Amino acid sequence: MQWTKVLGLGLGAAALLGLGIILGHFAIPKKANSPAPSDLDLEILETVMGQLDAHRIRENLRELSREPHLASSPRDEDLVQLLLQRWKDPESGLDSAEAFTYEVLLSFPSQEQPNVVDIVGPTGDIIHSCHRTEENVTGEQGGPDVVQPYAAYAPSGTPQGLLVYANRGTEEDFKELQTQGIKLEGTIALTRYGGVGRGAKAVNAAKHGVAGVLVYTDPADINDGLSLPNETFPNSWYLPPSGVERGSYYKYFGDPLTPYLPAIPSSFRLDPANVSGFPPIPTQPIVCSLGCPVNVSIYNRLELRNSSNVLGIIRGAMEPDRYVLYGNHRDSWVHGAVDPSSGTAVLLELSRVLGTLLKKGTWRPRRSIMFASWGAEEFGLIGSTEFTEEFFNKLQERTVAYINVDIAVFANATLRVQGTPPVQSVVFSATKEIRSPGPGDLSIYDNWIRYFNRSSPVYGLVPSLGSLGAGSDYAPFIHFLGISSMDIAYTYDRSKTSARIYPTYHTAFDTFDYVDKFLDPGFSSHQAVARTAGSIILRLSDSCFLPLKVSDYSETLRSFLQAAQQDLGALLEQHSISLGQPRVSKGSGPLQVRMLNDQLMLLERTFLNPRAFPEERYYSHVLWATRTGSVATFPGLSNACSRARDTASGSEAWAEVQRQLSIVVTALEGAAATLRPVEDL
């Protein structure tokens, strides 16, 4: 069969899925005399909403952020025991709780030889040394457990060279420097955060012969330009002048030595010398310095460390083999009051309320609920990735949805939710019933729509649901397992600040007092997130029919297809590749509850293709993989067209375009087949 015919018929599956999916809820039979199956108990829902206590969340946060708790540190292990104690409490605990430990490769600065960045004069004399630590403005930045700012997984080395400002360290930034006649070979590049990922700055620099990279936080990017001591923390939420953002510079996620395998004793491990994805040249985050030349001395080292996940489980009464997962990581770079402890403070309060109802015998969910505290997220989503690798089959076959609450509160203006389309309906239903914090009588939904909204051809004006990248522990669940996922937080009014993230992110100034005074006084926004997450959990675990509305995928697929036709159609025609005309087909039939719910749960999995992106580790979701091409369509197609645009017909690049089209066709046809009556192939 000719390519154009295959592609023309196949891509019609986008419309088939987009339109054929809209079958009510797949024509569920409604018999007037049939008894209603057990469903969400609205009295239990109201009880949970009323018992989630802002003061308890505040006290949870105070305890969680009391000391620095870098992954695998003694305090991190103390928090493992705290979680186990809470989840085994006889009055408010869960059915079971267990720690799962993995031996993983982490990266730390040397305590004996601190990393150093020196500015030297014409004669080689040191005229300025960059601060090695942040200013101890509240007494919490100078303790022995406060790790020196560093670039995790950056190699050791002592490069010396002229300092060259390279903006954000993108490939375009380095090309622009070369265009201006600036020699980059052997230089030290000074870059600022943003634009591309941390590790990409070093990769881009190394391609042009740069010997080392320094990264700084520009006050204009997070402080609205304010940086004087009286304008910053502890006097406001802005970052003090000495603040330095720590972070992982590893390209991938998961344990670097055991890709696609859990980091347990029986697994094969790579030789650390052969691991890909680490920065190729020495890199160090600093307080901004100017001058030249520069001596950089980096003494980071790799270490095998034990890191634990903690799992707490409430067994389902009717479908114990169906899981609703709710998780957040536990480790932080320093005190981590916002990231991640705000999310864990909410998690602990929610598990306490549900655990209390469970122990009293007044409630047990239809499906099982799992609470998870992931280890070593800051080093590259390690704990959650190892968990998905170890329990791949069980999780992929049984998980209804994954709810992530990492940073619960960036600020106190409005809700922000990222997620896959099927979760939109349950999020909207939950937020319409919960009062928004602050003055007035708006629901969280009505307040949300004031800040982030979009025009939907189906629903009209609705809150805008963001898409999921790879910024937190939802990444392995959506990209690797194909589980419908969401990430929930309260955030700031973007019209009032240009901050790319909350200002003290990954610094020693992210403390309890920072949250208590500036982000969420009274903790009403934390409580709002707890109520939102709690309502979603109950709706997913207790509703007879899963409240996942797969028809909401139709808008995404229509927009992808439209973008492909408008922005790539002419280019593809030039190379004898046709998107064709959509063909529409649909059918319906009676389905039992379990069958229907399995179809709702498993639809997301049909978009997985583990061979779709061989150059990307773990990314296999053909709709949500990383998109580097400029056209907002299917990422594999967009990326392939971007690479093939300037090559001749018949090249390998255009063959990859055809391969990506076939992948899209297969995924869409598979999704449509999943939603047909189960007796139909």
Side-chain angles (χ1 to χ4, degrees), residues 151-268:
Y153 297 110
S156 297
T158 56
Q160 302 178 16
L162 294 175
L163 192 68
V164 175
Y165 177 69
N167 193 28
R168 298 192 185 276
T170 67
E171 177 66 17
E172 292 72 21
D173 288 329
F174 286 106
K175 287 181 177 178
E176 176 63 23
L177 289 172
Q178 287 188 319
T179 299
Q180 295 176 10
I182 297 175
K183 182 177 179 297
L184 295 175
E185 188 78 26
T187 62
I188 306 296
L190 177 65
T191 67
R192 56 183 176 140
Y193 278 113
V196 292
R198 300 183 192 99
K201 299 177 190 297
V203 172
N204 294 336
K207 291 178 183 176
H208 296 273
V210 173
V213 173
L214 304 177
V215 190
Y216 75 98
T217 300
D218 191 327
D221 292 331
I222 58 168
N223 274 17
D224 297 320
L226 302 175
S227 60
L228 296 176
N230 66 333
E231 299 171 329
T232 59
F233 183 72
N235 300 303
S236 80
W237 85 314
Y238 292 119
L239 181 66
S242 66
V244 183
E245 180 181 320
R246 297 152 181 81
S248 173
Y249 284 64
Y250 179 48
K251 177 181 179 180
Y252 305 114
F253 47 87
D255 172 44
L257 298 185
T258 58
Y260 295 105
L261 296 169
I264 56 179
S266 60
S267 289
F268 169 77

Side-chain angles (χ1 to χ4, degrees), residues 1-16:
M1 185 178 290
Q2 293 180 347
W3 260 103
T4 54
K5 185 175 181 181
V6 172
L7 298 174
L9 294 176
L11 267 179
L16 182 152

Side-chain angles (χ1 to χ4, degrees), residues 77-104:
E77 292 305 308
D78 288 345
L79 294 181
V80 168
Q81 298 307 313
L82 182 149
L83 284 153
L84 289 171
Q85 179 185 359
R86 295 279 187 96
W87 288 346
K88 292 181 178 181
D89 186 276
E91 295 184 355
S92 61
L94 313 178
D95 285 321
S96 62
E98 185 178 356
F100 296 82
T101 301
Y102 302 96
E103 189 178 38
V104 299

Side-chain angles (χ1 to χ4, degrees), residues 271-351:
D271 184 330
N274 297 328
V275 171
S276 62
F278 293 158
I281 54 179
T283 306
Q284 174 71 14
I286 61 166
V287 177
C288 181
S289 298
L290 297 175
C292 56
V294 181
N295 294 346
V296 179
S297 300
I298 305 300
Y299 302 103
N300 296 340
R301 59 192 183 195
L302 298 171
E303 296 183 26
L304 280 172
R305 294 279 192 93
N306 286 335
S307 179
S308 299
N309 295 332
V310 188
L311 271 292
I313 300 174
I314 298 176
R315 290 190 303 275
M318 300 178 68
E319 299 182 70
D321 63 334
R322 291 294 179 262
Y323 312 144
V324 176
L325 263 71
Y326 172 66
N328 177 34
H329 71 100
R330 183 184 60 258
D331 64 301
S332 67
W333 287 111
V334 193
H335 292 86
V338 182
D339 180 11
S341 300
S342 62
T344 303
V346 165
L347 181 150
L348 284 172
E349 174 60 3
L350 188 51
S351 65

